């Protein structure tokens, strides 16, 4: 199958392209630096010729409310229009578990707008809502740091490895569209504060993590289950502590660790 991965040079996209190629598919990594731009439309028509499926794993360069909304709306409209013209039979998009419970945040309003455009289009689709990636936990801690303290709500959290996200997407993109939403998540549930604590400890980062029910997640008030998927979710096989052992071996010191 020819499968175009839009955002194919990013964290998830580059892993997905490799996995599809390993399975014998023709995977095209589409991104601005490979000559394909979903905002301007540059290179899209050529890239999509003969494609069976398109996987959208783009992300907005800016998370400012208006900019991120404009990015996902423009990019999704351009992709869907070009897919219709090329006769693409499956649009797969990566979204976030709990998007509709997180609408206080502009990023999630933009992801919901993306999902709604897909649902309203004529292209058969599968929306894949994933939980937060392990690779993202340190960024969450950094965003919630004041001085030497990280304050996070003790909301339930079920993160997963980017590698497992890419494996799930490879399976979904090479199967029939479900014309609906599937959820994927990690194999364990623990508190968001606990995830940050484990991540920083593995990096020997001295910041203290405090479970604070009043703290916000990227400015969003959190309910206990806002970030976790339903119980019948497809689960990734990688455990957070195993991933930490592996990734911290490669990056022994936290970049944000005070000198
Ligand atoms: N972070 C999480 O925990 C999480 C959880 C669930 C779902 N998600 C979703 O997963 C998706 C992918 O995330 P990621 O971390 O893999 O993103 P990423 O590493 O930031 O990669 C984004 C990709 O999009 C490309 N891109 C940016 N502007 C583009 C344009 N105009 N046209 C074509 N491609 C463009 C980038 O290319 P360049 O590098 O060349 O700019 C890059 O290949 C996002 O939509 C996000 O919402 C994230």
């Amino acid at each position: 199958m020819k499968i175009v991965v839009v955002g194919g040079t990013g964290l998830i996209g580059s892993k997905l392209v490799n996995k599809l190629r390993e399975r014998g598919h023709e995977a095209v990594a589409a991104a601005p630096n490979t000559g394909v731009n979903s905002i301007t439309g540059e290179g899209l028509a050529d890239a999509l010729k003969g494609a069976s499926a398109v996987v959208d794993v783009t992300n907005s360069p800016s998370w400012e409310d208006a900019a991120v909304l404009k990015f996902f709306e423009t990019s999704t409209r351009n992709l869907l229009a070009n897919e219709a013209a090329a006769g693409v039979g499956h649009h797969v998009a990566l979204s976030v578990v709990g998007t509709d419970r997180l609408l206080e945040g502009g990023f999630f309003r933009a992801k919901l707008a993306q999902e709604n455009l897909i649902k309203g289009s004529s292209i058969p689709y599968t929306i894949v809502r994933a939980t937060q990636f392990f690779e993202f936990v340190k960024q969450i801690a950094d965003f919630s740091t004041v001085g030497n303290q990280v304050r996070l709500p003790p909301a339930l959290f079920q993160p997963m490895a980017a590698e497992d996200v890419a494996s799930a997407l490879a399976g979904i993109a090479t199967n029939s569209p479900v014309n609906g939403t599937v959820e994927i998540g990690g194999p364990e549930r623990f508190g968001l504060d606990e995830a940050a604590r484990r991540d920083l400890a593995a990096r020997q980062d001295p910041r203290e993590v405090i479970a604070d029910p009043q703290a916000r997640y990227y400015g969003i008030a959190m309910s206990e289950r806002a970030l976790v998927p339903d119980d019948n979710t497809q689960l990734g096989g990688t455990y957070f502590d195993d991933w930490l052992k592996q990734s911290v071996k490669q990056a022994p010191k936290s970049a944000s660790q005070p000198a």
Side-chain angles (χ1 to χ4, degrees), residues 7 9-12 32 37-39 58-59 94-95 107 111 132-133:
T9 58
L11 173 66
I12 301 298
N37 191 318
S38 61
I39 296 297
T58 57
N59 210 349
L94 185 57
S95 190
F107 184 83
K111 293 301 286 183
Q132 287 65 36
F133 315 149

Side-chain angles (χ1 to χ4, degrees), residues 74-223:
T74 309
S75 174
T76 304
R77 282 199 182 102
N78 282 339
L79 289 177
L80 294 169
N82 279 276
E83 288 168 32
V88 173
H90 192 182
H91 180 91
V92 180
L94 185 57
S95 190
V96 189
V97 164
T99 288
D100 43 331
R101 298 187 287 264
L102 301 166
L103 297 177
E104 204 184 332
F107 184 83
F108 296 98
R109 292 196 293 275
K111 293 301 286 183
L112 193 66
Q114 175 188 19
E115 292 188 1
N116 287 337
L117 285 167
I118 295 165
K119 289 177 183 171
S121 85
S122 60
I123 314 287
Y125 70 91
T126 307
I127 293 169
V128 182
R129 284 186 169 184
T131 57
Q132 287 65 36
F133 315 149
F134 292 160
E135 286 80 353
F136 191 57
V137 174
K138 185 175 169 295
Q139 188 181 317
I140 295 172
D142 291 348
F143 189 84
S144 306
T145 296
V146 176
N148 201 34
Q149 287 186 335
V150 180
R151 282 186 180 271
L152 284 167
L156 289 172
F157 196 53
Q158 198 176 327
M160 66 188 297
E163 203 68 44
D164 289 340
V165 177
S167 295
L169 286 173
I172 289 163
T174 50
N175 270 295
S176 303
V178 304
N179 291 316
T181 302
V182 298
E183 290 190 327
I184 58 175
E188 298 174 284
R189 259 181 206 180
F190 36 83
L192 179 53
D193 58 307
E194 176 61 19
R197 203 171 287 117
R198 287 196 207 174
D199 190 289
L200 296 186
R203 297 173 201 279
Q204 296 168 34
D205 184 316
R207 281 177 286 173
E208 180 190 11
V209 180
I210 295 168
D212 176 355
Q214 304 308 317
R216 289 173 167 251
Y217 172 77
Y218 285 94
I220 304 166
M222 274 286 110
S223 63

Side-chain angles (χ1 to χ4, degrees), residues 31-65:
N33 65 13
T34 68
V36 183
N37 191 318
S38 61
I39 296 297
T40 63
E42 181 200 350
L44 265 184
D46 273 353
L48 264 48
K49 265 185 209 147
S52 305
V54 168
V55 186
D56 181 3
V57 283
T58 57
N59 210 349
S60 172
S62 163
W63 287 12
E64 185 274 319
D65 285 1

